[in-house]
Amino acid sequence: QVQFVESGGGLVQPGGSLRLSCAASVSAFRIYTMGWYRQAPGKQRELVASITSSGRTTYADSVKGRFTISRDNAKNTVYLQMNSLKPEETAVYDCNFVPFQTAYWGQGTQVTVSS
């Protein structure tokens, strides 16, 4: 059974940093492209960053140069390092496959950027 458990969110001041983690209960995790998504209040969910099985990464234009996605296949975990956070990046952050599978959305982790 597939399950994603996100952690690492919290309250941070503008310009601050957070590191999110996503523990995946997935067989053969290493073969999947994984992504971090976010959904702000009143907005559609968007793909923020993705990482392929070979480690190739892609980012939304809005986070390039500030966010870094990585994975540890031995731990079935994907990470998102977020630097220079902005108030408009307040959202619930989730991980999922790319493309996402609706049935596998987890609880997500809340990131609030505010002074």
Side-chain angles (χ1 to χ4, degrees):
Q1 184 169 343
V2 175
Q3 186 177 22
F4 299 120
V5 179
E6 300 90 351
S7 62
L11 174 64
V12 63
Q13 292 187 341
S17 298
L18 283 173
R19 188 192 194 208
L20 307 183
S21 299
C22 170
S25 298
V26 179
S27 298
F29 169 79
R30 67 188 182 282
I31 71 173
Y32 294 101
T33 296
M34 296 298 301
W36 278 99
Y37 301 78
R38 68 186 178 192
Q39 186 167 23
K43 295 188 177 181
Q44 288 190 327
R45 181 181 276 119
E46 63 171 333
L47 177 62
V48 173
S50 64
I51 185 166
T52 68
S53 58
S54 62
R56 186 173 71 251
T57 58
T58 58
Y59 298 93
D61 287 343
S62 60
V63 306
K64 283 180 181 177
R66 298 186 297 117
F67 288 15
T68 302
I69 188 171
S70 60
R71 66 191 300 163
D72 184 337
N73 290 332
K75 296 182 178 179
N76 277 23
T77 301
V78 61
Y79 304 97
L80 185 68
Q81 176 67 43
M82 306 186 296
N83 299 327
S84 302
L85 282 160
K86 305 175 181 179
E88 56 265 36
E89 294 178 313
T90 294
V92 176
Y93 287 70
D94 294 274
C95 68
N96 204 317
F97 299 118
V98 178
F100 67 81
Q101 298 294 310
T102 301
Y104 301 147
W105 291 117
Q107 293 289 89
T109 187
Q110 175 70 46
V111 172
T112 301
V113 186
S114 175
S115 56

